[in-house]
Amino acid sequence: MLLQQPDIEAHPAGRTCRTHCPYCSLQCGMTLASAESGGWTVGARDFPTNRGGLCQKGWTSTELLAHPDRLTTPLVRDRRSEPFRRASWDEAMTRIAEAIGRTQQRYGPDGVGMFGGGGLTNEKAYALGKFARVALRTSQIDYNGRFCMSSAAAASIKAFGADRGLPFPLADIAGAATVLLVGSNLAETMPPVMQHFQEQKDRGGSLIVVDPRATPTSAASTLHLQLTPGTDSALANGLLNIAIKEGYVDQAFIAERTIDFKIVRRIAAFYWPSRVERMTGVPERQLYQAAKLLGKAPTAMILTARGPEQQSNGVNNVLSFINLALALGKVGKPHCGYGCLTGQGNGQGGREHGQKADQLPGYRKLDNAEHRRHIAQVWGVSDQDLPNPGQSAYEMLDAMGQEGGVRALLVFGSNLAVSAPRAAHVEQRLKDLDFLAVSDFFLSETAELADVVLPTAQWAEEEGTMTNLEGRVILRERAVQPPSGVRTDLEILADLAGRLGYGRYFPPEPAAVFEELRRASAGGVADYAGVTYQRIRDNNGLFWPCPAEDHPGTPRMFLDRFATADGRARFHAIRFQPPAEEPDDDYPLYLTTGRIMSQYQSGTQTRRVAALRESAPEAFVQIHPSMARTYGIGEGDAVRLRTRRGEATLIARLTPSIRMDTLFAPFHFAGSGRANLLTNPALDPVSRMPEFKVCAVRIEKGNS
Ligand code: SF4
């Protein structure tokens, strides 16, 4: 696949374009300047989230635009045993359209499924959801954000009536006297955001970090609670127990703005500090210290990330921390609040506009008759024709190629063979499909399994909006033309819709799609009706809800009322439940997985960037030196990890920063080093989030 150098007609040499980083949800502001040589120079931009900072991933992001691995022509094959051959767009799209027709004729509309991604623009997420419901009439669509923020989203909706990751701007962090950060290593995964925490510290604030590992983030904290993996809700209940006993709860706030505290108070009584120390491994002394830092602070925030969320009890874990924030009266006030630190680039917008199995644009619901009517009217179809909610991501993947499951799958912006839990099983299910088409800019591990691969445009080659972790809608401007032969996902969907007889419903231009998204989201929870590309340019983005063009947007939510029917927040009775799998004689250690500084998600992009590859060239596992000695393992040894799902081979890294009973493996790597070969697909009953963050594992020296 030879790369044709993209031309830079959009921004000739010497011109700069203001845009945003392609990776995480901080969506750092950056500039791209086209050079005489035909390359691009990245500049950091003073945007409210990153304040002129970028991490290594942002600085090196343009390397991928002209990367030699770049796909620039569709690839097809007749049998999976054969190598790919180049094909015309017409042949590739004909094959996909025929496969859809064949499959739906035999298995019905639900025989075809779609899988999207939390890195896709709002326009694409919207178009994917609409394409599934209008052009395919299938209920089978979900996306990889199900594996990221779904537990926090579900918990926020239960407690507050709405899910906006951070219901306040990042800048508010600096004014919080205490921040409790649960299960996040921001200093490595999102370094520029630490400026906000540094300012908070400089103003005399405290930071409490909850993490089984000592990390650069915990090193910057006032207090580190190094809990046993999977015991998050026990810890939260223990802090609430102390807060009640010590008189830190805000009775006036509870009375005025919440309901159901009584049942939570009764449950908290069972989580006395010495018991919680035994359950969580966090010393009683630290529990008191943390409760005091939170309870005596005039302003405080509780922020969660994937640590407590990616568990089979993820929703309850988050709710237990929301209970604590509500009891302390630290929600719905300036410099206070509960927030989820969204991970993927468009993790927020990607979960608002319809690529989720149960969802319609504007955070509307497929099982709500009024919501269906509104969206059907915007789309110009009958609400009777819209399918019902489908299966969640893992359930859809697990059933692929099986009786009653999806038989043909279209994948956009996701690398399931690396990022899904129980990855070897998911890989087999991808092979079990009758037909697989993947749209990507590189031949990802999932694309390698496909029948048709479509080369798609990268972030700098098309415009579109993203919604960052604060709920701020931003605009990525197109800086360069895509290479010749490459199409955007919207062009792909428009072409395919035309072949299926639905062309008039699917414009290929992002601006046209966004105009329709505005109308579709109007009146919904995530209301973008007043957001325009120009207003985003003029205002450093706009926070939703923004219901009209003269509305300033909503940086801070819940100041007067919560988004529930009666305006009050809900407490939820949460009893600690252990993870689905705990260590035993056969699998004596905990395994937890996560991200590292120089890689991103499944690594399809970052493993191809030379500087990032140099920083983190191979899959590794962190192990405590004392535990390593027990197994005769030395630094740099190849080790084999086994769980009930499978085994992986990684390189041992010895570090006293991890608990004795816990191993940590990053999930960015492919092949036999895939951490997700090991992870447990036990699902949260509400969010359907798999348990990426904790399972039982054993470790052996050697790789044979
Ligand atoms: Fe990009 Fe996130 Fe790094 Fe910012 S912190 S440069 S958005 S990867």
Side-chain angles (χ1 to χ4, degrees):
M1 268 63 67
L2 282 177
L3 177 85
Q4 296 172 22
Q5 186 79 292
D7 67 56
I8 49 173
E9 167 194 301
H11 289 273
R15 298 264 311 270
T16 59
C17 174
R18 289 152 55 93
T19 186
H20 294 267
C21 173
Y23 297 115
C24 83
S25 65
L26 197 57
Q27 285 297 293
C28 293
M30 59 163 58
T31 55
L32 295 185
S34 51
E36 295 290 349
S37 62
W40 301 272
T41 312
V42 174
R45 191 152 65 84
D46 187 17
F47 195 73
T49 54
N50 60 308
R51 296 178 171 173
L54 293 176
C55 79
Q56 195 186 13
K57 297 186 286 288
W59 285 117
T60 55
S61 55
T62 52
E63 192 173 322
L64 295 174
L65 293 171
H67 197 282
D69 287 353
R70 186 81 193 271
L71 298 174
T72 56
T73 181
L75 304 174
V76 302
R77 54 185 167 188
D78 296 322
R79 272 175 292 278
R80 304 237 176 95
S81 54
E82 294 174 354
F84 284 113
R85 65 173 172 78
R86 293 171 180 224
S88 67
W89 274 97
D90 185 52
E91 181 185 357
M93 299 304 281
T94 300
R95 280 177 179 244
I96 297 173
E98 285 176 356
I100 290 170
R102 211 168 42 236
T103 306
Q104 292 195 319
Q105 195 170 27
R106 182 155 178 208
Y107 299 102
D110 282 358
V112 178
M114 296 186 79
F115 206 93
L120 301 174
T121 61
N122 290 319
E123 289 80 352
K124 292 189 210 179
Y126 173 86
L128 245 57
K130 181 180 173 187
F131 187 87
R133 277 76 183 225
V134 173
L136 298 178
R137 290 155 290 114
T138 181
S139 68
Q140 299 300 300
I141 175 169
D142 214 49
Y143 79 123
N144 63 21
R146 178 76 68 176
F147 300 156
C148 292
M149 290 74 57
S150 58
S151 289
S156 286
I157 291 168
K158 274 172 164 273
F160 307 128
D163 154 46
R164 199 183 83 188
L166 296 181
F168 44 78
L170 274 171
D172 279 11
I173 288 173
T178 297
V179 178
L180 178 69
L181 182 59
V182 190
S184 170
N185 183 13
L186 286 172
E188 274 202 73
T189 56
M190 210 181 262
V193 84
M194 292 307 286
Q195 295 172 88
H196 300 278
F197 290 89
Q198 185 59 50
E199 190 183 337
Q200 186 242 359
K201 190 177 182 178
D202 293 344
R203 292 200 205 173
S206 306
L207 174 64
I208 308 166
V209 169
V210 178
D211 198 317
R213 297 191 300 147
T215 63
T217 312
S218 68
S221 71
T222 318
L223 177 64
H224 176 203
L225 309 181
Q226 201 164 4
L227 83 175
T228 303
T231 61
D232 303 77
S233 65
L235 178 74
N237 285 353
L239 294 175
L240 182 57
N241 176 291
I242 297 171
I244 293 168
K245 270 194 317 220
E246 298 292 321
Y248 299 143
V249 298
D250 185 337
Q251 299 292 357
F253 177 86
I254 290 169
E256 275 171 37
R257 301 202 56 190
T258 72
I259 59 171
D260 290 342
F261 179 59
K262 251 189 217 158
I263 43 169
V264 171
R265 172 189 271 275
R266 277 201 293 273
I267 285 173
F270 289 90
Y271 294 83
W272 58 89
S274 60
R275 179 175 182 235
V276 171
E277 175 175 327
R278 286 194 299 280
M279 295 167 91
T280 64
V282 176
E284 246 187 275
R285 175 182 44 81
Q286 291 188 348
L287 294 171
Y288 276 103
Q289 204 182 338
K292 187 174 174 183
L293 283 171
L294 282 165
K296 284 199 171 286
T299 50
M301 289 178 177
I302 297 181
L303 308 176
T304 67
R306 304 303 81 74
E309 298 167 14
Q310 286 181 319
Q311 297 186 32
S312 60
N313 299 306
V315 174
N316 282 356
N317 287 342
V318 174
L319 284 170
S320 66
F321 283 105
I322 291 176
N323 284 344
L324 178 62
L326 289 172
L328 296 171
K330 298 297 195 295
V331 186
K333 299 173 180 173
H335 305 291
C336 291
Y338 160 77
C340 152
L341 293 159
T342 295
Q344 292 196 75
N346 197 26
Q348 182 66 49
R351 66 184 190 253
E352 297 166 358
H353 297 298
Q355 61 176 331
K356 228 174 153 183
D358 57 350
Q359 197 190 61
L360 290 169
Y363 237 133
R364 286 186 166 88
K365 302 285 286 180
L366 255 176
D367 58 7
N368 179 307
E370 198 186 315
H371 291 184
R372 291 169 70 92
R373 272 196 297 277
H374 171 81
I375 296 299
Q377 185 262 327
V378 173
W379 288 351
V381 300
S382 163
D383 59 328
Q384 306 292 322
D385 292 340
L386 296 179
N388 290 318
Q391 300 179 98
S392 74
Y394 184 78
E395 290 161 302
M396 178 167 76
L397 299 178
D398 187 33
M400 284 188 317
Q402 315 303 302
E403 182 75 35
V406 162
R407 313 298 295 217
L409 185 72
L410 315 181
V411 177
F412 291 80
S414 192
N415 187 9
L416 297 162
V418 175
S419 63
R422 200 185 172 198
H425 176 71
V426 169
E427 186 176 331
Q428 184 55 52
R429 288 293 186 251
L430 289 164
K431 289 175 183 167
D432 291 343
L433 287 166
D434 298 339
F435 182 82
L436 173 63
V438 174
S439 168
D440 210 323
F441 24 85
F442 295 115
L443 197 62
S444 70
E445 286 73 16
T446 304
E448 281 174 13
L449 304 172
D451 300 283
V452 175
V453 181
L454 303 174
T456 192
Q458 291 194 44
W459 101 107
E461 298 162 351
E462 57 182 339
E463 70 180 355
T465 59
M466 306 282 281
T467 305
N468 78 358
L469 76 175
E470 312 166 283
R472 185 197 302 259
V473 188
I474 58 164
L475 180 64
R476 280 186 188 165
E477 306 271 7
R478 193 188 72 171
V480 299
Q481 298 273 24
S484 161
V486 164
R487 291 186 181 178
T488 68
D489 286 334
L490 291 180
E491 289 168 345
I492 290 168
L493 289 173
D495 179 328
L496 197 50
R499 289 166 196 264
L500 298 173
Y502 293 90
R504 69 185 188 282
Y505 295 96
F506 293 91
E509 306 87 11
V513 176
F514 190 73
E515 287 306 304
E516 189 182 303
L517 183 158
R518 290 176 59 199
R519 290 199 306 281
S521 73
V525 173
D527 190 333
Y528 285 42
V531 182
T532 67
Y533 281 7
Q534 194 54 46
R535 288 193 74 200
I536 296 174
R537 288 186 188 105
D538 294 342
N539 295 282
N540 270 341
L542 283 166
F543 291 84
W544 70 254
C546 182
E549 286 194 40
D550 59 357
H551 189 284
T554 313
R556 293 175 190 82
M557 296 176 78
F558 312 142
L559 291 180
D560 303 318
R561 68 188 311 277
F562 294 98
T564 53
D566 59 10
R568 289 169 176 244
R570 266 67 174 155
F571 280 96
H572 287 82
I574 307 298
R575 286 188 177 78
F576 167 71
Q577 297 284 334
E581 191 178 76
E582 290 201 285
D584 56 20
D585 289 348
D586 292 332
Y587 300 95
L589 297 164
Y590 289 103
L591 172 69
T592 189
T593 62
R595 287 170 53 192
I596 56 175
M597 181 185 283
S598 48
Q599 294 291 336
Y600 182 70
Q601 300 302 86
S602 74
T604 307
Q605 298 165 81
T606 49
R607 282 187 274 120
R608 287 181 162 87
V609 176
L612 302 180
R613 209 170 44 243
E614 251 170 57
S615 296
E618 59 195 354
F620 66 87
V621 56
Q622 288 184 338
I623 180 170
H624 193 282
S626 301
M627 191 53 72
R629 260 196 308 281
T630 308
Y631 288 92
I633 292 167
E635 173 72 22
D637 283 350
V639 292
R640 191 170 48 197
L641 267 55
R642 282 185 202 271
T643 67
R644 291 183 177 85
R645 270 70 56 197
E647 59 182 64
T649 304
L650 305 102
I651 299 301
R653 292 223 185 130
L654 277 50
T655 170
S657 65
I658 194 154
R659 290 171 55 97
M660 286 273 289
D661 58 3
T662 304
L663 306 177
F664 167 81
F667 63 83
H668 312 290
F669 299 94
S672 60
R674 268 176 294 175
N676 279 321
L677 292 169
L678 306 164
T679 47
N680 190 352
L683 301 181
D684 181 283
V686 176
S687 66
R688 318 308 284 166
M689 165 74 84
E691 189 142 75
F692 289 101
K693 276 294 184 281
V694 50
C695 69
V697 67
R698 71 169 178 259
I699 186 167
E700 296 158 9
K701 187 172 175 178
N703 57 5
S704 59

